[in-house]
Structures are given as C-alpha cells and as structure tokens.
Amino acid sequence: MSHPILEVQDLKKYFKTPRGTLHAVDGVSLRIEKGKTLGIVGESGCGKSTIGRVILRLLEPTSGQILFNGTDIARLKKAQMRGMRKEMQMIFQDPFSSLDPRKTINHIIREPIVEYGIIKDKKQIEKRVLELMETVGLAERLINTYPHELDGGRRQRVGIARALAMEPKFIVCDEPVSALDVSIQAQILNLLKKLQREMGLTYIFITHDLSVVNYFADEIAVMYLGKLVEKAPSEELFANPSHPYTKALLSAIPVPEIGQRPERILLKGEISSPIDPPDQCRFMKRCARAEESCKRECLGLREIGEGHFVACWKI
C-alpha cells in the first residue's frame, strides 16, 4: 500500500455544553491515498462536517493525530499551520454564505494569491485569476460581478476557483452540491472529477446523499453519532453493506424504476444522546438486532473482508 497523504488516528472533538460534554467526533481513525476520494456519509448531526473542519484545523481537535504527508498538523502552532494552508483547502456547502458579498469575483479569487504572496506581479495575478476562472468554467465577462449577481452553480464554481488558487494537494468538500439544483449538481461533480484527474487532487467528500457519494468516492466511511460504523470501497459497500445503519441508509435511496423495489428499512426507537454517552453501541436503541453485548462496550472498526471494516458485535 502506498504512503497515505492523510492519516487520522483516534481523532476526538468535544464541545462543552450546559448539559455536559458533546462528543461530536469520538475516536475516528481513517487514511486516504494520494489522488483518491474518501466519502463520509451520515445523518445530520453525526459529526461529518465537524471532522472535516477539525482535519483542516478550522476547529481545534480535543485529542488525536492528524498526519498530513507524515507531519502531525494537530501539534503545529498557528504560524506553522498557516504555511500548511497552501496544501489543504475547503469547498463549503453554501456558496452564497461562504463568499464575501462586498467583493467582486476578481477580488475573491485573487485574495489568497495576494495574501500568501504566491504571485507578486499584478499582471501575472490578473492572468492567474482568468486562468482559474477558465479552469472552473466561469466566463471572463463575470470577473467584476458580485456573488449575488450569480446563480448557485456559478457561485460554487467561484468557491472552487478560490480553493484552487492556493494550488492545494488536498481539499475537503463539505456537501458542495447539496444546496444546488440536480442538473447543476451533476456539472459541479463532473468538474471536481475532472480537476482531480488533471491535478492529482485528493478529496474528502462529505455528504448525506449516498447516490452522489457512490458516483464520486473511491471509498466510503459511514458515520453515526461521532463514530465510524462502517468503511469500505464504494462498490463493496453498496454490494455488501454489513452494519444495520448502513443497510437502512442504502434502503432509503430512491430507485427510478416501476415495479419491484428493495424493501425500505424503517429505523425505530430513540436516537442516543451524544452528550456524555455511555461506553456502548451508539446505534443500539435503533437496532432491531441489538443484544446484551451491545451494552457492554462500543466496538471499534474490525476488518471483515479486504478493506471492509465494520463496528458491530453481530458481524
């Protein structure tokens, strides 16, 4: 196996609340090879966006290691981390709220280039901005427009151009198409795939839409209340889902066919609280297969096949 560009080991992110400690990310470990895409899926509130922000140090980790090209960036000081920003970028979910409404597209894209001194010459900066706009499919005539003058798809292209301005090796895509129309979603996904092929980019792709992640990711990690419950190559996960939660998620994907369709698994029971949770399976209260062993310990991922990991006592 080649050396991973990113390796996360026992990563935790806790938040203090009036009711206790919220375990948003609780002991997650994962690795991504260069040029690959890891999809992270799960319900709202499972911690998938938090893990993306912690990996980029937009939120400080409570504990754990974040190894980027062998360097533990979790222990870097702010000045050292600033230098790493060129290597690691983020594409946000809402392209409207992530862009400064007071600045033109020209200013938004050139800002990181100027801030980090990547290019000094003004004419070369202008040339680079136009190159980035062309790369993401934005017409040159839009260079002096403002975010509110663009539709959602074009705004997201601006966000992608801004991320690419730093010439990163690794990008966290935090639900980058969920706020867009379906036809525009396909355009943005195809653009991200094209950029990955041409630039050798590595992605973490965070989403709640399994049909999107099946198309886009090489490997999928399923998250539930701060824990990874299953991780496998995309084809393997869809062909042989093993965790009860993964099976329920897959059964909810709409099938565009008339007639026979797979039976939908309806989850019953209450969702466990992520505040000071006991050491037991987080999914236990919603699982039809739960037994006494599920109450004794929260089982970590264990390999059941090549590259296929599951956290379940019953498998």
Side-chain angles (χ1 to χ4, degrees), residues 106-157:
N106 183 14
H107 195 122
I108 288 169
I109 297 174
R110 74 163 53 221
E111 190 172 31
I113 299 172
V114 174
E115 180 69 22
Y116 278 79
I118 297 169
I119 303 172
K120 308 285 192 202
D121 182 73
K122 286 188 176 180
K123 288 186 177 178
Q124 290 300 314
I125 292 173
E126 192 73 34
K127 182 182 176 184
R128 178 60 177 153
V129 170
L130 291 172
E131 283 176 358
L132 287 164
M133 289 181 66
E134 184 180 356
T135 298
V136 300
L138 284 170
E140 185 178 331
R141 62 183 170 79
L142 300 173
I143 192 166
N144 290 317
T145 57
Y146 290 85
H148 74 271
E149 298 178 282
L150 304 178
D151 59 33
R154 287 194 177 95
R155 282 198 290 263
Q156 194 60 290
R157 290 174 190 269

Side-chain angles (χ1 to χ4, degrees), residues 30-31 40 66 70 91 96 109 133 136 140 145 154 156-157 159 163 170 225 247 249 258 261 274 296:
L30 51 84
R31 56 186 286 149
I40 301 179
I66 308 166
I91 299 168
F96 192 66
I109 297 174
M133 289 181 66
V136 300
E140 185 178 331
T145 57
R154 287 194 177 95
Q156 194 60 290
R157 290 174 190 269
F170 170 71
L225 286 183
K247 290 179 179 180
L249 287 180
I258 297 172
R261 60 158 292 150
R296 291 198 301 267

Side-chain angles (χ1 to χ4, degrees), residues 95 151-157 160 176-192:
D151 59 33
R154 287 194 177 95
R155 282 198 290 263
Q156 194 60 290
R157 290 174 190 269
I160 295 169
V177 297
S178 64
L180 308 176
D181 292 339
V182 174
S183 60
I184 307 299
Q185 285 185 15
Q187 293 174 20
I188 297 300
L189 289 172
N190 289 332
L191 171 62
L192 290 171

